[in-house]
Amino acid sequence: MTRHDRKKLVLMRHAEAEHPWGVTDHDRPLHRSGAQDAAAAGHWLLAQGHVPDMILCSSALRARQTCTWVCSVLGDLAPTARLDESLYAAPDARIIAAVNHVPDTVESLLLIGHLPGLRDAALRLATPDSDYDAVMALADGCPTSGLAVLEVPGSWAELDGAAARLVDFTVPRPSPGDR
């Protein structure tokens, strides 16, 4: 299979959230720096050519706001995000199941979610020939706004353990002057 035949899956942890008193976890908003980090992630996706055809996003406020900032950078290239209640606090199996339901017409998917399920899903999907540095960085932790990029060689419906090559893991941050 050629590189062109591969689908692209980008798993993103939401940006940094606040911890306001009296607000449920689901309704926690982004911190000011989280908004800047989410925008930096959007710039990174654009610069790397990882513009998604489809976005699946947790229904949590911080994930939705992350998605809004990413999409504001992608501009007219951004697809309309689909909110998925089941991605909030989802384990890796649930995240992979959500990906399994994506139509095969989608060539590039961005999924915005939470720890630990998001990191666990990326590590579960990583093939033995994945980029060593990316695997080690992801296994060491997945900071807010972290992006794991995986190449998927077949159908979304067939995606399961050790079936996608982890090719990159990064945590884009704005330049110091942007803070």
Side-chain angles (χ1 to χ4, degrees):
M1 186 172 287
T2 67
R3 188 166 218 152
H4 179 71
D5 295 331
R6 295 177 188 268
K7 296 179 184 333
K8 189 180 309 170
L9 172 61
V10 179
L11 298 175
M12 179 180 185
R13 182 179 176 201
H14 63 79
E16 183 182 358
E18 292 189 12
H19 297 277
W21 177 256
V23 174
T24 66
D25 182 67
H26 189 272
D27 294 330
R28 288 175 41 218
L30 285 186
H31 187 276
R32 184 174 147 267
S33 65
Q36 294 168 340
D37 291 346
H43 285 292
W44 186 87
L45 289 168
L46 198 56
Q48 299 301 312
H50 296 321
V51 176
D53 299 328
M54 180 178 180
I55 300 172
L56 289 178
C57 183
S58 162
S59 61
L61 179 59
R62 60 192 178 276
R64 295 189 329 256
Q65 289 177 330
T66 297
C67 185
T68 298
W69 282 103
V70 167
C71 289
S72 72
V73 171
L74 298 179
D76 292 341
L77 299 175
T80 301
R82 297 183 187 182
L83 297 182
D84 188 335
E85 292 278 340
S86 72
L87 292 176
Y88 173 66
D92 60 333
R94 177 63 203 117
I95 291 169
I96 294 170
V99 173
N100 291 151
H101 287 91
V102 170
D104 276 327
T105 54
V106 173
E107 292 182 21
S108 181
L109 173 66
L110 170 63
L111 187 145
I112 302 171
H114 310 270
L115 286 184
L118 193 79
R119 181 191 62 225
D120 294 347
L123 292 173
R124 176 175 161 185
L125 292 172
T127 58
D129 68 336
S130 291
D131 181 272
Y132 177 81
D133 293 334
V135 172
M136 291 296 100
L138 182 59
D140 191 40
C142 184
T144 53
S145 300
L147 295 154
V149 181
L150 298 112
E151 290 179 346
V152 179
S155 169
W156 297 116
E158 296 170 5
L159 187 62
D160 199 3
R165 186 169 185 271
L166 180 63
V167 295
D168 201 357
F169 177 73
T170 190
V171 185
R173 297 291 188 224
S175 61
D178 294 338
R179 287 248 183 221

